[in-house]
Amino acid sequence: MTKTVIIGTNHAGLAAANAILDNSEQEVVMIERNENFSYLSCGTALWVGQQIDSVDGLFYTNREDFEAKGAKVRTQTIVNTIDFEQKVVHAVTQQGEEVEESYDKLVLATGSIPISPKVPGRELENITFMKHYEEGQKIDQLFERKDMENIAVIGAGYIGVEMAEAAKRRGKNVLLFDALDRCLPSYYDAWFTDDMDKNLANHGIELHYGELVKEYKGTDKVEQIVTEKGEYDVDLVINAIGFLPNNQLAKDHLELFANGAYLVDRHQQTSDPDVYAVGDCATVYSNALQATTYIALASNALRTGMVAGENIVGNAIESPGVQGSNGISIFGYHMVSTGYSVESAAKFDLNVKYTDIEDTQKPEFMKENDNVKLRIVYEATSRRVVGAQMASTTSDISMAIHMFSLAIERQVTVDELARLDLFFLPHFNQPYNYINKAALVAE
Ligand SMILES: Cc1cc2nc3c(=O)[nH]c(=O)nc-3n(C[C@H](O)[C@H](O)[C@H](O)COP(=O)(O)OP(=O)(O)OC[C@H]3O[C@@H](n4cnc5c(N)ncnc54)[C@H](O)[C@@H]3O)c2cc1C
Ligand SMILES: NC(=O)c1ccc[n+]([C@@H]2O[C@H](COP(=O)([O-])OP(=O)(O)OC[C@H]3O[C@@H](n4cnc5c(N)ncnc54)[C@H](O)[C@@H]3O)[C@@H](O)[C@H]2O)c1
């Protein structure tokens, strides 16, 4: 019987385990460094910002669920080395006991690690990342303290903006820094982020863009941060300047992508045919780019885990590729995007055009109505859709972005969207939907 060892049991590892255990009688060993697994870090800002009552709901499964399906689960066990020749994984438990597991198939699901700004003083106390549950607990406890008044968040990407909102909701003075000149620069064009920046500023968040941190100062604990533009008193620093794939275990054995992610094919197979890689430690295939790339998202982790598991049990399915669809909701302002923005397309040499519309969600006669912004990004020559961004105070927009995701995957052109059959009901939208309208005026 095939024996699969899965290293890392967060979203990607769990999805792979489920796919194997639900579709076969195969032997599965799951090895995880942490005590808990399945922590939805996506809910951290809601928890720490006290928008939900408890952290408990952020864990969606546990070891018993997998043991009940027949898996052997080793938690608080760190894999140190892998002998790829002999096909043996070497690990050590929290008690210091050395353990080894042989394998026929190996799934690397070791995720990602936050990037550390390489500046003096980074070892001071009260400087943290926000990735693991334990870091969320630490931030939550520090937010409780009255002497924690000034919170600096470095990086106005997804984690940074969400944590800035959470800190503000806990009554803190919040300073949000980014190397670039606006928030969320990787996902949205300025037409959208200008509104989000106004939203952040209107809620009292101090924005420090185009400002790189040069030093953290303090005796034991951080007391100040120094940038090229000024010095600021701070009690806590949350670093959120992006992730890198955690490739420690196999970087010398497997082929890697430019940023170090394990290079995988559409079956999640690495350059070693018995080794699969899934989630944040692996590459994905981007349908918009029509090339391999790296996008760290829980949604990708789940799907890639599923694909690897199915292939291990003999169902030779291929990943359909990804669009990197994502969303954010800050003080009631919602933004969703998929594929590439105009600015990010340029970084990847995608020659694009775009069409914009600003409209109301519903007909004017409806009492409750919201403004909606939509930008559709399409390739200049083929006219296939390669991205879309939407923003509104209504969360109704969130489902529309899924349609754009499918459009990118299926290579639909912007012209095909102009006459696409979209239903109408005044409670939901306009007789002629803004998606059709935007597509109709595409140059
Ligand atoms: C604050 C925050 C909010 C986020 N919000 C969203 C969101 O809203 N939507 C979204 O799609 N994504 C979101 N993400 C990103 C998402 O959490 C990640 O993409 C996802 O966790 C990746 O899952 P993974 O299983 O590949 O890796 P990880 O979650 O990084 O898990 C890897 C696991 O491997 C274990 N491991 C690593 N090395 C070893 C070893 N040597 N031995 C044993 N175990 C090991 C680790 O302990 C860990 O449990 C967010 C991330 C953060 C931090
Ligand atoms: N809602 C969501 O879908 C969601 C939420 C949280 C995290 N995530 C994912 O988790 C991953 C990590 O999130 P993240 O917020 O750390 O990364 P990110 O890539 O979203 O943002 C990083 C930000 O840091 C800035 N930056 C980079 N170097 C800097 C420096 N030296 N000083 C100041 N700013 C700097 C960048 O300009 C960017 O705005 C991403 O893949 C993200 O998509 C997704």
Side-chain angles (χ1 to χ4, degrees):
M1 185 166 54
T2 304
K3 175 180 173 186
T4 300
V5 173
I6 301 175
I7 307 174
T9 63
N10 210 13
H11 311 304
L14 294 174
N18 271 327
I20 301 171
L21 295 165
D22 293 346
N23 293 298
S24 76
E25 298 295 316
Q26 290 186 8
E27 193 180 343
V28 172
V29 178
M30 302 162 71
I31 308 180
E32 169 58 48
R33 179 174 45 200
N34 294 334
E35 190 183 356
N36 51 69
F37 50 69
S38 83
Y39 176 58
L40 278 170
S41 37
C42 329
T44 306
L46 289 170
W47 158 44
V48 171
Q50 296 186 334
Q51 288 183 273
I52 54 174
D53 293 335
S54 141
V55 69
D56 299 345
L58 299 186
F59 297 90
Y60 59 86
T61 186
N62 54 44
R63 65 177 298 153
E64 288 78 19
D65 288 343
F66 288 86
E67 284 169 340
K69 292 198 216 183
K72 176 165 148 193
V73 183
R74 292 183 179 277
T75 53
Q76 294 182 293
T77 303
I78 297 180
V79 175
N80 290 324
T81 53
I82 302 164
D83 183 337
F84 292 99
E85 288 268 299
Q86 300 300 316
K87 295 190 171 186
V88 179
V89 166
H90 298 274
V92 62
T93 66
Q94 206 184 34
Q95 291 71 37
E97 186 198 346
E98 290 187 13
V99 290
E100 49 179 59
E101 292 284 355
S102 62
Y103 66 84
D104 301 302
K105 302 286 176 198
L106 180 67
V107 178
L108 297 169
T110 50
S112 51
I113 34 180
I115 300 169
S116 176
K118 300 271 178 290
V119 295
R122 63 182 180 278
E123 67 296 336
L124 288 168
E125 267 179 60
N126 297 341
I127 299 179
T128 183
F129 296 111
M130 182 47 254
K131 163 98 175 141
H132 300 291
Y133 166 59
E134 291 72 16
E135 287 157 347
Q137 269 184 318
K138 180 177 161 188
I139 293 170
D140 186 46
Q141 284 157 10
L142 289 173
F143 278 3
E144 206 52 37
R145 282 177 27 190
K146 293 268 179 298
D147 60 331
M148 287 285 144
E149 287 178 17
N150 300 313
I151 315 296
V153 180
I154 317 297
Y158 263 132
I159 295 177
V161 171
E162 289 179 351
M163 291 312 292
E165 182 197 23
K168 200 69 214 174
R169 285 181 182 273
R170 295 286 288 269
K172 308 297 178 187
N173 299 324
V174 185
L175 293 83
L176 178 61
F177 292 83
D178 202 284
L180 300 182
D181 61 357
R182 58 197 181 86
C183 73
L184 304 167
S186 316
Y187 313 92
Y188 298 90
D189 291 314
W191 191 44
F192 293 87
T193 57
D194 285 353
D195 292 341
M196 183 57 91
D197 280 333
K198 272 187 217 136
N199 181 33
L200 292 167
N202 288 343
H203 284 87
I205 292 171
E206 237 182 74
L207 306 179
H208 293 273
Y209 293 156
E211 211 171 330
L212 266 183
V213 175
K214 285 166 51 184
E215 188 181 353
Y216 301 115
K217 280 189 181 168
T219 33
D220 302 323
K221 298 177 174 128
V222 66
E223 289 162 18
Q224 277 196 322
I225 58 176
V226 183
T227 74
E228 68 258 83
K229 291 184 185 166
E231 298 195 356
Y232 307 89
D233 291 341
V234 294
D235 304 305
L236 170 65
V237 173
I238 302 171
N239 278 315
I241 61 166
F243 288 174
L244 280 175
N246 179 4
N247 65 6
Q248 275 311 105
L249 291 173
K251 66 180 188 313
D252 298 327
H253 175 67
L254 299 178
E255 271 182 44
L256 304 178
F257 187 60
N259 74 340
Y262 300 129
L263 199 61
V264 293
D265 64 12
R266 302 288 279 266
H267 302 275
Q268 300 302 134
Q269 222 160 359
T270 66
S271 50
D272 177 337
D274 291 322
V275 180
Y276 293 74
V278 294
D280 281 8
C281 66
T283 54
V284 287
Y285 182 82
S286 159
N287 289 310
L289 282 184
Q290 302 194 323
T292 295
T293 189
Y294 180 75
I295 304 174
L297 282 173
S299 42
N300 292 345
L302 289 173
R303 278 190 295 271
T304 55
M306 214 184 288
V307 169
E310 291 265 9
N311 277 281
I312 288 170
V313 301
N315 303 330
I317 58 165
E318 285 203 343
S319 161
V322 305
Q323 280 67 252
S325 307
N326 58 79
I328 189 161
S329 175
I330 300 293
F331 297 119
Y333 194 62
H334 315 292
M335 303 209 311
V336 287
S337 84
T338 187
Y340 289 88
S341 65
V342 174
E343 199 172 303
S344 60
K347 286 191 198 132
F348 290 95
D349 291 330
L350 259 183
N351 180 16
V352 298
K353 290 183 173 175
Y354 62 94
T355 175
D356 289 346
I357 190 165
E358 199 166 354
D359 203 352
T360 51
Q361 174 74 19
K362 304 173 201 168
E364 273 180 26
F365 59 78
M366 293 300 284
K367 280 191 191 135
E368 283 178 18
N369 217 339
D370 301 83
N371 210 47
V372 177
K373 272 182 165 185
L374 163 66
R375 169 168 291 179
I376 306 173
V377 183
Y378 54 98
E379 198 174 38
T381 43
S382 69
R383 298 180 70 77
R384 72 186 170 95
V385 177
V386 294
Q389 301 156 71
M390 300 183 78
S392 182
T393 42
T394 174
S395 57
D396 262 7
I397 55 166
S398 76
M399 289 296 139
I401 211 71
H402 300 319
M403 188 217 66
F404 284 107
S405 176
L406 185 64
I408 298 171
E409 185 186 304
R410 295 282 138 196
Q411 303 197 29
V412 172
T413 65
V414 68
D415 311 303
E416 286 172 301
L417 290 182
R419 285 161 202 87
L420 177 70
D421 173 14
L422 298 168
F423 88 96
F424 162 57
L425 186 76
H427 306 67
F428 295 111
N429 61 3
Q430 301 215 35
Y432 216 62
N433 193 287
Y434 45 71
I435 297 171
N436 299 127
K437 285 193 207 168
L440 261 179
V441 296
E443 224 179 79

